[in-house]
Amino acid sequence: MAGEFEQYDDRFKKLTLGNVHLDHLASGCRWAEGAVYMAAGKYLLWSDAPNDRVLRYDETNGAISNFLQPANYHNGHTTDRQGRLIACEHGGRCISRIEHDGTRRVLADRFQGKRFNSPNDVVVKSDGSIWFSDPTYGIDTDYEGHASKAEIGGSYVYRLDPDSGEATAVATDFVQPNGLAFSPDEKRLYIADTGATHVDNGPHHIRVAELGADGRSLGPAKLFAECTDGLFDGFRIDTEGNLWTSAGDGVHVYAPDGTLIGKIKVPEVVANLCFGGPKRNRLFICATTSLYAIYVNARPAGWPA
Ligand code: MG
């Protein structure tokens, strides 16, 4: 097993590869976040909110460039079913989409007439609905957004209806909801809570909630895993339901039953990650100042599309 992998359970072995290593692809960020793989263009995008930019790693030649600057302080990203970029904007306090012709369209910026705090991370369900978290990090200070007053008075998880464009609060009992991802069958939604940044001994865990029979609502969210080093921020789930999450000392990998089965050690605090590359078996890791990548024997839930 390559030195970057730490195994705690036999189930981790088949998810790793021998003779692979952690590639250091880019540096110079203040807070690397929001990795998303743009399959058609063969590039990876990620955000660096304190520098108000979105960067691009071109996998055809390894070049790093600015994709957007200024960037409305983007944080989390994903793609929708048509491959369009969906962004969480701290600056715009909204969820936006970049259309195929390159124009930006705001999909939602309000709940019941009040502005969102600062959308942080986002996933798209197979029915086209967009689910996102809305903690206050982007309005707390001017460092990674614009210091502003919260209008809603809570940090919720929302579902954006693909037809009406209406946002509905689906989870309201989180302190600072953050990363989120569906189980491969989309029957459960995992949500990280980084509330420990704002509350002494506050949450530093991931909870999991069952979706209602309508596929639009959530039942009570139960504890899935407590972070043993730092905080869980963004995470992804593979085809087998294993959860690959950011943490203070690298990437922590959990089996669907909540067992920590292994780690990928990274020399900087990890904020987010995503599967990419033509076979989606390369894990791109956003870690503080840097972008890293490592090949693994796993693919994201939903692959092949
Ligand atoms: Mg986040």
Side-chain angles (χ1 to χ4, degrees), residues 135-205:
T136 60
Y137 298 109
I139 56 168
D140 287 339
T141 67
D142 279 322
Y143 183 59
E144 49 176 316
H146 307 297
S148 319
K149 279 208 172 70
E151 296 184 13
I152 292 166
S155 293
Y156 303 155
V157 176
Y158 296 94
R159 174 188 182 273
L160 198 57
D161 190 87
D163 302 318
S164 69
E166 196 85 8
T168 311
V170 289
T172 57
D173 63 342
F174 285 71
V175 179
Q176 294 281 33
N178 206 311
L180 67 177
F182 288 104
S183 59
D185 60 8
E186 297 188 330
K187 289 186 172 160
R188 278 160 291 149
L189 180 68
Y190 295 82
I191 306 167
D193 195 334
T194 46
T197 56
H198 282 59
V199 177
D200 287 343
N201 301 311
H204 47 100
H205 56 222

Side-chain angles (χ1 to χ4, degrees), residues 14 16 20 36 41 48 61 71 84-85 112 159 196 203 227 234 246 267 271 299:
K14 70 174 195 313
T16 65
V20 295
V36 62
D48 178 14
N61 62 7
R84 294 171 294 192
L85 181 70
Q112 296 179 343
R159 174 188 182 273
C227 194
S246 56
R299 278 149 206 85

Side-chain angles (χ1 to χ4, degrees), residues 33 75 120-121 178 233-234:
E33 244 282 9
N75 190 333
N120 188 290
D121 217 338
N178 206 311
D233 192 333

Side-chain angles (χ1 to χ4, degrees), residues 1-5 16-22 294-295:
M1 183 164 282
E4 288 84 354
F5 295 119
T16 65
L17 299 165
N19 297 322
V20 295
H21 53 271
L22 193 66
I294 190 165
Y295 283 94

Side-chain angles (χ1 to χ4, degrees), residues 5-288:
F5 295 119
E6 261 185 32
Q7 180 178 314
Y8 307 125
D9 183 293
D10 285 348
R11 287 173 283 182
F12 190 54
K13 194 174 173 61
K14 70 174 195 313
L15 302 176
T16 65
L17 299 165
N19 297 322
V20 295
H21 53 271
L22 193 66
D23 301 317
H24 187 208
L25 301 179
S27 56
C29 297
R30 295 198 183 277
W31 187 246
E33 244 282 9
V36 62
Y37 182 68
M38 308 301 287
K42 297 183 180 165
Y43 58 89
L44 180 104
L45 298 177
W46 80 99
S47 53
D48 178 14
N51 284 316
D52 194 14
R53 60 180 177 162
V54 174
L55 293 115
R56 166 183 154 130
Y57 165 74
D58 184 335
E59 67 179 1
T60 68
N61 62 7
I64 307 290
S65 58
N66 278 351
F67 180 77
L68 277 179
Q69 191 175 36
N72 283 326
Y73 295 94
H74 279 201
N75 190 333
H77 292 119
T78 191
T79 51
D80 68 9
R81 309 297 283 186
Q82 288 77 45
R84 294 171 294 192
L85 181 70
I86 307 286
C88 293
E89 297 188 8
H90 283 183
R93 297 174 72 167
C94 67
I95 298 294
S96 65
R97 182 172 74 206
I98 296 191
E99 307 292 3
H100 289 304
D101 68 2
T103 56
R104 165 183 173 268
R105 179 171 165 198
V106 174
L107 300 181
D109 61 359
R110 262 154 233 272
F111 173 59
Q112 296 179 343
K114 296 173 179 160
R115 297 182 75 191
F116 294 132
N117 300 321
S118 50
N120 188 290
D121 217 338
V122 59
V123 276
V124 175
K125 196 163 169 276
S126 58
D127 63 4
S129 57
I130 298 172
W131 301 57
F132 64 96
S133 59
D134 185 41
T136 60
Y137 298 109
I139 56 168
D140 287 339
T141 67
D142 279 322
Y143 183 59
E144 49 176 316
H146 307 297
S148 319
K149 279 208 172 70
E151 296 184 13
I152 292 166
S155 293
Y156 303 155
V157 176
Y158 296 94
R159 174 188 182 273
L160 198 57
D161 190 87
D163 302 318
S164 69
E166 196 85 8
T168 311
V170 289
T172 57
D173 63 342
F174 285 71
V175 179
Q176 294 281 33
N178 206 311
L180 67 177
F182 288 104
S183 59
D185 60 8
E186 297 188 330
K187 289 186 172 160
R188 278 160 291 149
L189 180 68
Y190 295 82
I191 306 167
D193 195 334
T194 46
T197 56
H198 282 59
V199 177
D200 287 343
N201 301 311
H204 47 100
H205 56 222
I206 291 172
R207 288 154 71 196
V208 58
E210 305 275 336
L211 270 74
D214 59 3
R216 299 166 167 236
S217 54
L218 288 182
K222 297 177 203 149
L223 183 68
F224 174 74
E226 201 99 43
C227 194
T228 53
D229 191 309
L231 298 170
F232 296 136
D233 192 333
F235 58 91
R236 294 287 194 265
I237 290 177
D238 69 22
T239 52
E240 307 308 311
N242 300 299
L243 193 150
W244 301 64
T245 178
S246 56
D249 59 343
V251 176
H252 293 192
V253 182
Y254 286 84
D257 66 4
T259 309
L260 176 62
I261 58 173
K263 287 184 185 178
I264 304 168
K265 298 290 272 190
V266 177
E268 299 181 72
V269 171
V270 176
N272 217 329
L273 49 97
C274 78
F275 293 96
K279 295 181 174 175
R280 308 294 192 277
N281 61 345
R282 193 178 193 194
L283 197 67
F284 288 93
I285 301 165
C286 290
T288 314

